[in-house]
Amino acid sequence: MSQPNFPIIDPPLTRDGSINEIIASIAAEELSLSHILNAEGEKLQYVLGTLPGLGESADIEDVLDVNKSVQRTLDEITQQQLLLGAKLSAALDAPVFTGPTGAIGPAGATGAIGAAGVTGPTGATGPTGPNGPNPTATAGFAANTAGSSVSVALGGTPIPLPSAQLFSADITPNAGNTVFTVATAGRYRLSYHVNTTVALLMGSRLVINGVNNTASTIAPVLSVSSFENEIVVNLPANSTISLQLYPIVLAGAAVLLGGGAGASLMIVRLDDGSPVRAPTQDYETEIADE
């Protein structure tokens, strides 16, 4: 039996290039999951009659069957999200090694002195470009794996995240592990998920600098046991972030899943938040100089 042949990669991947490929693959998987979540949301809208095309109104059994199907899909996506979060954390923490300095090559021959050329016109100095993004400078992750019980008040209750904490130096939690302060301003990707032991008629959201963030809010029309969302937002320096459950109708208690990620929050800085502008050139000055 012949031995397996592995393809030759040319040029060879470097360690830092391989890490970038891994991060790119995680981003592609995250995009795929977002499309799946959108499809599941449209499935619920269809059976509830909020999308056109339904011949007749669905009965309660149809609604419950679709809800179970969506719940199973969300559970599987939650597990995949946990794997992607762990993979991203490992990739961001992976060290990049510098190889040894190679030997100094021989000196080249001295070239002949060329004739003096004609001094050309000066074209104008362009503007300074923006700083490149540094997505790995600020990042953080925290979870709750203890199966905590959260008493959800009418105005909403922050979820403590004391487990599996991994933060860069400019992200700090408060004493209760419910509020996380981000010292560095920039554009951030914020993602979270919450898993409860039973389905509840409650919603979830991020509270940023004391204000409920609408884009991060999940307000289900039926009882669910899994909540997750992701947003990109500009944060000023020393912003505060907390993950919150709130009641849709009545206050109550929520019990998080134990022995795993009952709740988690991920914070990743994408760039400094500056708008990207195309370079300009002073063509009138250039023509005048010529």
Side-chain angles (χ1 to χ4, degrees), residues 140-146 148 150 158-167 173-180 191-195 205-206 241-244 256 260-267:
F141 176 82
N144 187 317
T145 61
S148 302
V150 180
I159 301 174
L161 303 170
S163 315
Q165 291 187 349
L166 183 63
F167 298 117
N174 68 347
N177 296 296
T178 57
V179 179
F180 303 89
S191 58
Y192 72 85
H193 74 268
V194 180
N195 295 313
R205 62 195 174 197
L206 293 176
I241 304 168
S242 60
L243 173 59
Q244 188 181 88
L256 304 179
S264 68
L265 171 66
M266 182 175 289
I267 303 169

Side-chain angles (χ1 to χ4, degrees), residues 29-287:
E29 289 189 67
E30 292 281 6
L31 180 61
S32 300
L33 293 180
S34 69
H35 287 300
I36 294 174
L37 288 173
N38 183 68
E40 293 301 302
E42 291 182 349
K43 185 190 296 183
L44 283 175
Q45 292 176 349
Y46 181 82
V47 77
L48 293 174
T50 58
L51 283 179
L54 188 63
E56 59 184 12
S57 300
D59 57 25
I60 187 63
E61 292 184 358
D62 293 332
V63 174
L64 292 176
D65 288 341
V66 170
N67 187 52
K68 291 179 180 178
S69 173
V70 172
Q71 182 61 55
R72 287 194 298 269
T73 302
L74 292 178
D75 289 342
E76 293 173 359
I77 291 177
T78 297
Q79 299 303 319
Q80 182 66 14
Q81 184 66 28
L82 291 175
L83 294 176
L84 291 178
K87 185 188 295 185
L88 179 62
S89 297
L92 294 178
D93 292 339
V96 177
F97 302 117
T98 302
T101 303
I104 299 176
T110 303
I113 299 176
V118 179
T119 302
T122 302
T125 302
T128 302
N131 294 329
N134 185 7
T136 62
T138 298
F141 176 82
N144 187 317
T145 61
S148 302
S149 177
V150 180
S151 179
V152 183
L154 290 178
T157 299
I159 301 174
L161 303 170
S163 315
Q165 291 187 349
L166 183 63
F167 298 117
S168 55
D170 50 355
I171 300 179
T172 54
N174 68 347
N177 296 296
T178 57
V179 179
F180 303 89
T181 301
V182 180
T184 305
R187 184 178 291 110
Y188 283 80
R189 171 191 169 209
L190 307 177
S191 58
Y192 72 85
H193 74 268
V194 180
N195 295 313
T196 59
T197 55
V198 296
L200 302 170
L201 190 56
M202 292 186 179
S204 62
R205 62 195 174 197
L206 293 176
V207 180
I208 302 175
N209 294 323
V211 178
N212 299 332
N213 183 272
T214 303
S216 71
T217 299
I218 295 179
V221 295
L222 298 173
S223 297
V224 297
S225 61
S226 181
F227 310 80
E228 60 181 317
N229 206 346
E230 178 178 282
I231 61 172
V232 174
V233 63
N234 284 326
L235 297 180
N238 298 315
S239 290
T240 58
I241 304 168
S242 60
L243 173 59
Q244 188 181 88
L245 282 176
Y246 68 95
I248 300 296
V249 179
L250 298 174
V255 180
L256 304 179
L257 286 178
S264 68
L265 171 66
M266 182 175 289
I267 303 169
V268 179
R269 183 174 184 263
L270 302 176
D271 53 46
D272 62 5
S274 300
V276 178
R277 299 179 179 177
T280 58
Q281 187 174 2
D282 191 344
Y283 289 100
E284 295 183 358
T285 303
E286 182 177 321
I287 295 173

